[in-house]
Amino acid sequence: NNVIDHNVVQHDGPWDGITTLSADGSTGTDGASYNTISYNTIVDNSVAMLDGNGQPTWKQDNGVAITGPGSTHNVVDHNVINGSSVNGVQIFPACINSYGGASQGCSGTVPNDYNIVTNNVVEDNGFGSPAAIAPLGDGILILAMGPRGVFQPGHETIENNDVEGNQRNGISVASGNGEDLYNAPGTTQGDNYGCSNLNSGGGNTGVPTADLCGTLDNTVIGNTSSGNGEDGIWIGPKSMFNSVIGNHVSDNRVDGIAIGLAVLYNANSQAVPNPQGGFETIAGTAGTNNTIVANSATGDGVWDGRDDNVGCANTWEGNQFGTVNQPCVSGFSDAGAPAA
């Protein structure tokens, strides 16, 4: 029940501009909830972490971070957020925050659900080259790390935001800085196990596990997302029952609205390249049972609308797309008739 408003937060780091932070308790009641972060100007939070010799090594600065466990019903409203070194707004899983990394044993805690991010201007966040190495920095990110329904945030509302020029995606649903990956067998991605099963030694089997990635029941509505380094709106692997409604998406470097496959990473935490100049992906990992309705997308670099499920496994209706990767994304079957 705190209100943080009308502040100027500038040149902070190496953590976040404004954060709701709670303890990693096991009672299921811990959390920073019912707070309002509004009418703040949060700019250029991009101070790097330093190594033992005082040299810059990494960046971890989000503009606004909702961490947990149990951070629910917070409102991020009418802020201007730009120049963060990672994400403009990030909603974390219940068992990871900017200060502690991933932890296990959080099954008794409450996910960071029912938060609202609305009416913000979120621009030019992130770092890294989108054309070569995997960049960091989404405008607004719902970060997914399993198991789904325990760690994963869900039931979030992303509404009426202006999201432009961010290094990676404009809006990401169940994605993140490697959280949507499948690691190669026998490897891990630091403390982050992506979407794959663990073996008895703590390594990664590379076997897809639906409960270890994706997020459920989020709503992305009425946003403008343009000129971002990868996709305008990205729905990550194994994400289900999300609604993407009435958004205006344009001029993103890769896709406008995309439901994509998980990327394969190697033992050195690098995406595995494919012969086409992209990265290897894992078949059968794209999100399903999502609803994408009444959106418009134009001028995106590859596809304005994309669904990596064969024949689509999501509902696409009433959208206006210039280009699509298969007819069902336009609301038509392969034969050209309206999809059932």
Side-chain angles (χ1 to χ4, degrees):
N1 296 300
N2 299 290
V3 176
I4 304 171
D5 64 1
H6 293 94
N7 299 283
V8 175
V9 182
Q10 188 171 14
H11 295 304
D12 282 343
W15 304 108
D16 309 306
I18 297 175
T19 305
T20 65
L21 183 64
S22 58
D24 288 340
S26 60
T27 64
T29 59
D30 295 328
S33 297
Y34 295 94
N35 301 290
T36 299
I37 300 169
S38 62
Y39 293 96
N40 300 283
T41 299
I42 306 165
V43 297
D44 297 332
N45 293 294
S46 55
V47 176
M49 296 180 179
L50 304 179
D51 63 17
N53 298 317
Q55 299 300 310
T57 60
W58 190 241
K59 296 182 179 181
Q60 188 70 33
D61 319 72
N62 298 290
V64 175
I66 304 298
T67 75
S71 289
T72 67
H73 300 282
N74 296 289
V75 177
V76 181
D77 177 34
H78 278 99
N79 301 281
V80 174
I81 305 166
N82 62 59
S84 307
S85 66
V86 188
N87 306 298
V89 180
Q90 177 166 318
I91 302 173
F92 282 81
C95 290
I96 181 172
N97 59 48
S98 296
Y99 300 91
S103 61
Q104 306 300 315
C106 298
S107 59
T109 63
V110 176
N112 301 328
D113 286 353
Y114 300 102
N115 297 288
I116 298 173
V117 180
T118 184
N119 294 307
N120 301 283
V121 176
V122 186
E123 299 178 340
D124 302 320
N125 298 283
F127 74 100
S129 171
I133 63 171
L136 297 178
D138 295 335
I140 300 170
L141 166 64
I142 301 171
L143 180 67
M145 190 187 87
R148 189 173 60 198
V150 179
F151 290 0
Q152 249 67 317
H155 303 93
E156 321 293 355
T157 299
I158 312 299
E159 183 173 8
N160 292 337
N161 300 280
D162 184 359
V163 184
E164 299 183 14
N166 299 283
Q167 195 70 12
R168 202 177 68 146
N169 301 319
I171 298 170
S172 287
V173 178
S175 183
N177 308 329
E179 289 73 17
D180 51 355
L181 60 87
Y182 281 68
N183 291 311
T187 70
T188 64
Q189 172 79 6
D191 287 327
N192 179 359
Y193 300 108
C195 301
S196 305
N197 256 326
L198 302 180
N199 62 30
S200 59
N204 210 297
T205 66
V207 176
T209 306
D211 288 341
L212 288 181
C213 65
T215 183
L216 310 177
D217 299 306
N218 301 286
T219 300
V220 179
I221 183 169
N223 302 279
T224 298
S225 183
S226 63
N228 298 288
E230 292 195 3
D231 299 336
I233 298 173
W234 163 260
I235 299 177
K238 298 294 184 180
S239 294
M240 302 171 67
F241 310 118
N242 299 288
S243 297
V244 178
I245 304 170
N247 300 280
H248 301 283
V249 180
S250 64
D251 301 314
N252 298 283
R253 192 185 66 86
V254 183
D255 298 319
I257 300 175
I259 300 177
L261 299 168
V263 173
L264 178 68
Y265 279 61
N266 63 22
N268 296 318
S269 302
Q270 300 295 316
V272 178
N274 64 24
Q276 293 74 41
F279 299 112
E280 295 289 344
T281 55
I282 307 299
T285 58
T288 60
N289 296 294
N290 299 287
T291 300
I292 305 92
V293 173
N295 304 278
S296 65
T298 59
D300 298 292
V302 181
W303 304 110
D304 293 322
R306 169 184 150 211
D307 190 328
D308 283 348
N309 295 284
V310 176
C312 295
N314 301 281
T315 299
W316 299 81
E317 293 182 350
N319 301 290
Q320 297 179 14
F321 296 148
T323 58
V324 295
N325 74 323
Q326 53 181 322
C328 53
V329 177
S330 289
F332 292 90
S333 68
D334 288 339

